Amino acid sequence: MVQSSPCCQGLLDPTQKINIEDAPRRRRFRRCKSAPLAEYPTAEIEGNHSLARSGSIFGKLHPSFRKVAIFLAVYLGIGTVCFYLVRYQIMGKKTNGFLDAVYFCIVTMTTVGYGDLVPNSVPAKLLACAFVFTGMALVGLILSEAADFLVEKQEILLVKALHVHQKVGPTEILDDIETNKVRYKCIVSLTLLLLLIIVGTIFLATVEKLGIVDAFYCVCSTITTLGYGDKSFSTKGGRIFAIFWILSSTICLARFYLYAAELNTESKQRALVKRVLSQRMTNVDLEAADLDDDGVVGAAEFVIYKLKQMGKISQEDMTLIMEEFEDLDVDQSGTLSASDIVLAQSSQTARGITKLRISESTESTFTMINRI
Amino acid sequence: MVQSSPCCQGLLDPTQKINIEDAPRRRRFRRCKSAPLAEYPTAEIEGNHSLARSGSIFGKLHPSFRKVAIFLAVYLGIGTVCFYLVRYQIMGKKTNGFLDAVYFCIVTMTTVGYGDLVPNSVPAKLLACAFVFTGMALVGLILSEAADFLVEKQEILLVKALHVHQKVGPTEILDDIETNKVRYKCIVSLTLLLLLIIVGTIFLATVEKLGIVDAFYCVCSTITTLGYGDKSFSTKGGRIFAIFWILSSTICLARFYLYAAELNTESKQRALVKRVLSQRMTNVDLEAADLDDDGVVGAAEFVIYKLKQMGKISQEDMTLIMEEFEDLDVDQSGTLSASDIVLAQSSQTARGITKLRISESTESTFTMINRI
């Protein structure tokens, strides 16, 4: 993810003009810059887990996976109890009271709705309505949080399998995953989906004694949540299998559609980035990009201008940050320097804010204050 | 959307130090800067329709809406013909051959799958499988492209209605919509949804002669695409109504869930922005934000640093743009100026590229070349 950017070398070019009055401060900055520039975002990501959008694979997704699992357990728990209590108001092919309640719950929450079990009284009907709305929201949550986590776990296995003939290390595998993230996710979910389709078809053909076409038709009707209901799981063993299989296969198919859409968006985005980058800079662009109006466009100004053209950031995003910058730039120099920080701190102290947050830099700031 | 940013005034502060050698060039830049800085993104968005993420409400969404409408027409056309041809292999409550084919198509593509009509032969079953997979993809497309457009059209009506007692102009309404975009979309889709639920319930109660609870139960079972199938549209009139009502209500509910999720994400994102902005800048931050390593942090560098902390941009985004900057910075000064553009152009001419793109700035560039 983090590549050493060749631009840094250029910007650190010793031939570049150094303002005399900035020179000593600059040396001090250089000295304590132990990590190369391109690497600090990694530290930032590791430091602020919650802030990072794309953090480490396992560290970040675990809590949301746990949250989803708890929600699912609570939903199924309450659903099973409720539908078990109204089991005599549910009509259709029955096997075991408890099992049917769980099965009905799953068939309802995934919106498969075969109709092999249907509520037959006013309270049971309203209960089913309540459970389908909450179930849909829960499936959405599973789709957006947990499914991603499960696919990511398979990704490494897939890429390892693809690279089995070329001897590549774990670093190369991780790099490869990072570059082709969405494509691998597509492949993984499609593989899982085909596996689930095959398993489902074989199961329905052997346990539920359906013909191969009927079994496949029932599988398709289920994973798409169509659920015509002319073929469904009617045996005890079938329903136990269905509880796990329906939930995983419907989510897997939905996830596959989502990844395919993402792949499409990504390739469009890449084309846009390429087009924006290859656009010739004109004097009009130069002027528009010149944020601090000093007649030249610095690296950072150029980055912002191009990001705006790519649609990655909006004027709104910038306005808020620029306001904050204005506030921080106590000496109104148009730039932030160590002296602004000292000035900001002393004005805060003057305003009676004494509980200074202990940050990594507190010590060095104090050293500087003492020096002044 | 575009507010005049107070920061610009600060950055245009006449007290700020001007480098003597930059002064003449700078005056020239000032002279031709007819529009205020904060407004250029509007011009940019209008100029590059395809580039803008959030362009004008109508200009941008029309083409995708047309695309979706064509896809839907083609899908329903082919579906109707196919299912009409296999109509004797479809079992269940029938009304009119043509009508049933369209109805079956809609019930299948939205994955409602009542089961009141089911395929009864191998070809019909496989046809249904093919149509449900493509139908799901199409519904996804409608959800992501056309639904947004329809809700946006209602938005203005809603906000006008909300402001009916306060006399506000169209500008204020558009501003209000822009600020609370997602919230209004949520309200609009919820209102539409409630309307569709009421209309559906009344229709089922009167035309299909269902009791009120049964009618409501059938409505819930339909809009969530559950479709148990114990209650469904069985009359001719009912099925004509169902064709339009099922498609719009299932999409409206899905859209509502999507907006609710977006609202949640947005409020999280706002909290993150607030936290990042209120974080005290330390010397460590200052150093990390100092992209061009000149010891001070300019406005643009500060914006980039904060955007990174917010997770809006990644190092990868930046690396590509910084490489492009390196290439453009022909004189290796660490900044782009008009002279870099001239140098880049002359080197391109030297390489034999003579077909210069005609851009807005070509004329002024030539004037400058002549001057040199």
Coordinates of all heavy atoms in Angstrom, one line a residue, chain A residues 29 33 37 40 44 48 328 336 341 357 359-361 364, chain B residues 276 279-291 297 301-302 305-306 309:
Chain A
F29 N 14.1 20.1 12.1 CA 13.1 19.2 11.6 C 13.7 18.0 11.0 O 13.2 16.9 11.2 CB 12.2 20.0 10.6 CG 11.0 20.7 11.3 CD1 11.2 21.8 12.0 CD2 9.8 20.1 11.1 CE1 10.1 22.4 12.6 CE2 8.7 20.7 11.7 CZ 8.9 21.9 12.5
K33 N 13.4 13.8 11.9 CA 12.6 13.0 11.0 C 13.2 11.7 10.7 O 14.0 11.5 9.8 CB 12.5 13.8 9.6 CG 11.3 13.5 8.8 CD 11.2 14.4 7.6 CE 9.9 15.1 7.7 NZ 9.8 16.2 6.7
L37 N 9.3 10.1 4.6 CA 8.0 10.8 4.5 C 6.9 9.9 4.1 O 5.8 9.9 4.7 CB 8.2 11.9 3.4 CG 7.0 12.8 3.3 CD1 6.8 13.6 4.5 CD2 7.1 13.7 2.1
Y40 N 4.9 7.7 7.0 CA 4.2 8.1 8.2 C 2.7 7.7 8.2 O 2.1 7.4 9.2 CB 4.4 9.6 8.6 CG 3.7 10.6 7.7 CD1 2.4 10.9 7.9 CD2 4.4 11.2 6.7 CE1 1.8 11.8 7.1 CE2 3.8 12.1 5.9 CZ 2.5 12.4 6.1 OH 1.8 13.3 5.3
E44 N 0.3 6.4 11.2 CA -1.0 7.1 11.5 C -2.1 6.1 11.6 O -2.9 6.1 12.5 CB -1.2 8.1 10.4 CG -2.3 9.0 10.5 CD -2.5 9.8 9.2 OE1 -1.6 10.3 8.7 OE2 -3.7 9.8 8.8
N48 N -4.2 5.4 14.9 CA -5.6 5.7 15.0 C -6.5 4.6 14.3 O -7.0 4.8 13.3 CB -5.9 7.1 14.4 CG -5.0 8.1 14.9 OD1 -4.8 8.2 16.1 ND2 -4.4 8.9 14.0
L328 N -5.5 28.4 13.4 CA -4.2 28.0 14.0 C -3.1 28.9 13.6 O -2.1 29.1 14.3 CB -3.9 26.6 13.4 CG -4.7 25.4 14.0 CD1 -4.3 24.1 13.4 CD2 -4.4 25.3 15.5
L336 N 1.9 27.6 8.8 CA 2.0 27.1 10.2 C 3.4 26.8 10.5 O 4.0 26.0 9.8 CB 1.1 25.9 10.5 CG -0.4 26.0 10.4 CD1 -1.0 24.7 10.9 CD2 -0.9 27.2 11.3
I341 N 2.3 27.2 17.0 CA 1.8 26.3 18.0 C 2.1 26.8 19.4 O 1.2 26.8 20.3 CB 2.5 24.9 17.8 CG1 2.0 24.3 16.6 CG2 2.4 24.0 19.0 CD1 2.6 22.9 16.3
R357 N -3.5 18.5 27.1 CA -3.5 17.1 26.7 C -2.0 16.6 26.6 O -1.2 17.3 26.0 CB -4.2 16.8 25.3 CG -5.5 16.2 25.5 CD -6.1 15.9 24.1 NE -6.7 17.1 23.5 CZ -6.9 17.2 22.2 NH1 -6.7 16.3 21.4 NH2 -7.5 18.3 21.8
S359 N 0.5 14.9 24.8 CA 0.8 14.3 23.5 C 2.2 14.0 23.4 O 3.1 14.4 24.2 CB 0.3 15.3 22.5 OG 1.1 16.5 22.5
E360 N 2.5 13.4 22.3 CA 3.9 13.0 22.0 C 4.9 14.2 22.0 O 6.0 14.1 22.2 CB 4.0 12.2 20.7 CG 3.1 11.1 20.5 CD 2.5 11.0 19.2 OE1 3.0 11.6 18.2 OE2 1.4 10.4 19.0
S361 N 4.3 15.3 21.6 CA 5.2 16.4 21.4 C 5.3 17.4 22.5 O 6.0 18.3 22.5 CB 4.6 17.2 20.2 OG 3.5 17.9 20.6
S364 N 8.8 18.1 23.6 CA 9.6 19.0 22.7 C 9.1 20.4 22.7 O 9.9 21.3 22.6 CB 9.7 18.4 21.3 OG 8.4 18.4 20.8
Chain B
V276 N -11.1 15.2 14.1 CA -9.8 15.4 13.4 C -9.5 16.9 13.5 O -8.4 17.3 13.7 CB -9.8 14.9 12.0 CG1 -8.6 15.4 11.2 CG2 -9.8 13.4 12.0
Q279 N -8.4 18.2 16.9 CA -7.2 17.7 17.5 C -6.1 18.8 17.5 O -5.9 19.4 16.5 CB -6.7 16.5 16.6 CG -6.8 15.2 17.2 CD -6.6 14.1 16.2 OE1 -6.0 14.3 15.2 NE2 -7.1 12.9 16.5
R280 N -5.4 18.9 18.6 CA -4.4 19.9 18.7 C -3.3 19.5 17.7 O -2.9 18.4 17.6 CB -3.9 19.9 20.1 CG -2.7 20.7 20.4 CD -3.1 22.1 21.0 NE -3.7 21.9 22.3 CZ -3.1 21.7 23.4 NH1 -1.8 21.7 23.5 NH2 -3.8 21.5 24.5
M281 N -2.7 20.5 17.0 CA -1.5 20.3 16.1 C -0.3 20.3 17.0 O -0.1 21.2 17.8 CB -1.4 21.4 15.1 CG -2.2 21.3 13.9 SD -1.9 19.9 12.8 CE -0.6 20.5 11.8
T282 N 0.5 19.2 16.9 CA 1.7 19.2 17.7 C 2.9 19.4 16.7 O 2.7 19.4 15.5 CB 1.9 17.8 18.4 OG1 1.9 16.8 17.3 CG2 0.7 17.5 19.2
N283 N 4.1 19.5 17.3 CA 5.2 19.6 16.4 C 5.4 18.4 15.5 O 5.9 18.4 14.4 CB 6.5 19.8 17.2 CG 6.6 21.3 17.7 OD1 5.8 22.1 17.3 ND2 7.5 21.6 18.6
V284 N 5.1 17.2 16.1 CA 5.1 16.0 15.3 C 4.2 16.1 14.1 O 4.6 15.7 12.9 CB 4.8 14.7 16.1 CG1 4.8 13.5 15.3 CG2 5.8 14.6 17.3
D285 N 3.0 16.5 14.3 CA 2.0 16.7 13.2 C 2.6 17.7 12.2 O 2.5 17.5 11.0 CB 0.7 17.3 13.7 CG -0.1 16.3 14.5 OD1 -0.1 15.1 14.2 OD2 -0.6 16.7 15.6
L286 N 3.1 18.8 12.7 CA 3.7 19.8 11.8 C 4.7 19.3 10.9 O 4.7 19.6 9.7 CB 4.3 20.9 12.7 CG 4.2 22.4 12.3 CD1 2.7 22.7 12.1 CD2 4.9 23.3 13.2
E287 N 5.6 18.5 11.4 CA 6.6 17.9 10.7 C 6.1 16.9 9.6 O 6.5 16.9 8.5 CB 7.6 17.2 11.6 CG 8.9 16.8 11.0 CD 9.7 16.0 12.0 OE1 9.4 16.1 13.2 OE2 10.6 15.2 11.5
A288 N 5.1 16.1 10.1 CA 4.5 15.1 9.2 C 3.8 15.8 8.0 O 3.7 15.3 6.9 CB 3.6 14.2 9.9
A289 N 3.2 16.9 8.3 CA 2.3 17.6 7.3 C 3.2 18.4 6.3 O 2.8 18.7 5.2 CB 1.4 18.6 8.0
D290 N 4.5 18.6 6.7 CA 5.3 19.4 5.9 C 5.8 18.6 4.6 O 6.9 18.1 4.6 CB 6.5 19.9 6.7 CG 7.4 20.8 6.0 OD1 7.0 21.4 4.9 OD2 8.5 21.1 6.4
L291 N 5.0 18.7 3.6 CA 5.3 17.9 2.4 C 6.5 18.3 1.7 O 7.3 17.4 1.2 CB 4.1 18.0 1.4 CG 3.0 17.0 1.4 CD1 2.0 17.3 0.4 CD2 3.6 15.6 1.2
V297 N 4.3 24.7 7.4 CA 3.2 24.0 6.8 C 2.2 25.1 6.1 O 1.7 25.9 6.8 CB 2.4 23.2 7.9 CG1 1.1 22.6 7.3 CG2 3.3 22.1 8.4
E301 N -0.8 22.1 2.4 CA -0.2 21.0 3.1 C -1.1 20.6 4.3 O -1.3 19.4 4.6 CB 1.2 21.3 3.6 CG 2.2 21.4 2.5 CD 3.5 22.0 2.9 OE1 3.6 22.8 3.9 OE2 4.6 21.6 2.3
F302 N -1.6 21.6 5.0 CA -2.5 21.4 6.2 C -3.8 20.7 5.7 O -4.2 19.7 6.4 CB -2.8 22.7 6.8 CG -3.7 22.7 8.0 CD1 -3.1 22.2 9.2 CD2 -5.0 23.0 8.0 CE1 -3.9 22.2 10.4 CE2 -5.8 22.9 9.1 CZ -5.2 22.5 10.3
Y305 N -3.0 17.0 5.0 CA -2.7 16.3 6.2 C -4.0 15.9 6.9 O -4.2 14.8 7.3 CB -1.8 17.1 7.1 CG -1.4 16.4 8.4 CD1 -0.5 15.3 8.3 CD2 -1.8 16.7 9.6 CE1 -0.1 14.6 9.4 CE2 -1.4 16.1 10.8 CZ -0.5 15.0 10.6 OH -0.1 14.3 11.7
K306 N -4.9 16.9 7.0 CA -6.2 16.7 7.7 C -7.1 15.7 6.9 O -7.8 14.8 7.5 CB -6.9 18.0 7.9 CG -6.3 18.8 9.0 CD -6.4 18.2 10.4 CE -5.8 19.0 11.5 NZ -5.8 18.4 12.8
Q309 N -5.9 12.3 7.6 CA -6.3 11.8 9.0 C -7.8 11.4 8.9 O -8.2 10.5 9.6 CB -6.1 12.9 10.0 CG -4.7 13.1 10.4 CD -4.6 13.9 11.7 OE1 -5.3 14.9 11.8 NE2 -3.8 13.5 12.6

